[in-house]
Amino acid sequence: RLRMVNASNDDFYNIKIPGQDLHIISRDGNTLSVVENKESEVLAPGDRIEILFKAGLWGEYDIQSARYVQGAFTYVEDNFMKIKVFGFPVIPRSLPAALIPYDNFANARIDNTRVLTLSEGGTSENTTFLIDGKKFNPEVINQIMTLGTTEEWRIINESSEVHPFHIHVNPFQVVSI
């Protein structure tokens, strides 16, 4: 089991293990209901992921960031980590087909809808990222939710940047893009 976080402030990583599928079990701290098998997974700044990795016999496995085009900038393929496998072999376990079930809110009764707009300000030398026209201020609470309600948040990106969006405390479900 690998837990990975992109702790950079502006770099994207397209995670892959050559010759292996990524068996994704969690994103941003939220366990998925089923394992997602993918060849690679893009991690934007602040993104977290958990994968199950099924190693073979003794040897080394490269963890790579595959080529990724993010707007006007292209990240080249690069090795950035190795996994070394050694020790006595064990009988491999089967990968789980299901994980923790969750409530699907795609058709839930919505108590409140919010629209948040991501944009940019400042100059080309000193770009400021804004939410609803405001720069982040850790002293200000911008959104207050009522416990026990279901909200739909619509996120609009008016900038030229690819923005990750995640909530650090409450679990959420993406229902459409």
Side-chain angles (χ1 to χ4, degrees):
R1 179 180 194 158
L2 300 174
R3 289 181 176 161
M4 305 179 91
V5 62
N6 181 351
S8 71
N9 69 338
D10 199 31
D11 292 328
F12 286 69
Y13 297 96
N14 189 9
I15 303 297
K16 79 174 191 177
I17 303 172
Q20 298 275 333
D21 275 344
L22 302 181
H23 307 289
I24 301 168
I25 61 171
S26 176
R27 284 193 181 87
D28 283 328
N30 296 306
T31 303
L32 304 174
S33 62
V34 295
V35 178
E36 291 183 10
N37 298 313
K38 295 179 74 177
E39 187 177 310
S40 67
E41 176 79 1
V42 174
L43 293 182
D47 280 350
R48 295 168 289 159
I49 189 174
E50 290 187 45
I51 65 171
L52 297 178
F53 169 70
K54 205 166 186 179
L57 299 175
W58 287 28
E60 293 184 352
Y61 295 84
D62 289 323
I63 307 293
Q64 295 181 337
S65 182
R67 183 176 183 273
Y68 177 66
V69 178
Q70 193 265 318
F73 190 80
T74 298
Y75 294 91
V76 298
E77 184 170 293
D78 195 13
N79 291 346
F80 67 89
M81 186 171 104
K82 284 190 183 296
I83 295 176
K84 274 190 168 181
V85 176
F86 60 92
F88 293 105
V90 296
I91 297 172
R93 294 182 184 175
S94 298
L95 289 170
L99 300 168
I100 298 171
Y102 67 92
D103 293 325
N104 186 345
F105 295 111
N107 297 312
R109 183 178 68 84
I110 303 300
D111 298 301
N112 188 31
T113 300
R114 298 172 195 256
V115 178
L116 302 175
T117 302
L118 306 178
S119 62
E120 293 176 305
T123 64
S124 58
E125 294 83 31
N126 188 19
T127 303
T128 303
F129 297 105
L130 308 171
I131 300 177
D132 291 337
K134 299 175 190 156
K135 188 175 173 183
F136 174 71
N137 179 346
E139 303 297 321
V140 174
I141 297 172
N142 298 96
Q143 305 294 329
I144 298 174
M145 296 159 280
T146 302
L147 187 63
T149 62
T150 300
E151 294 197 358
E152 178 178 295
W153 289 25
R154 296 178 185 188
I155 313 301
I156 299 169
N157 182 7
E158 293 182 342
S159 77
S160 60
E161 296 282 330
V162 173
H163 284 275
F165 185 87
H166 53 249
I167 302 171
H168 288 258
V169 178
N170 298 7
F172 63 95
Q173 177 185 9
V174 176
V175 294
S176 67
I177 296 177

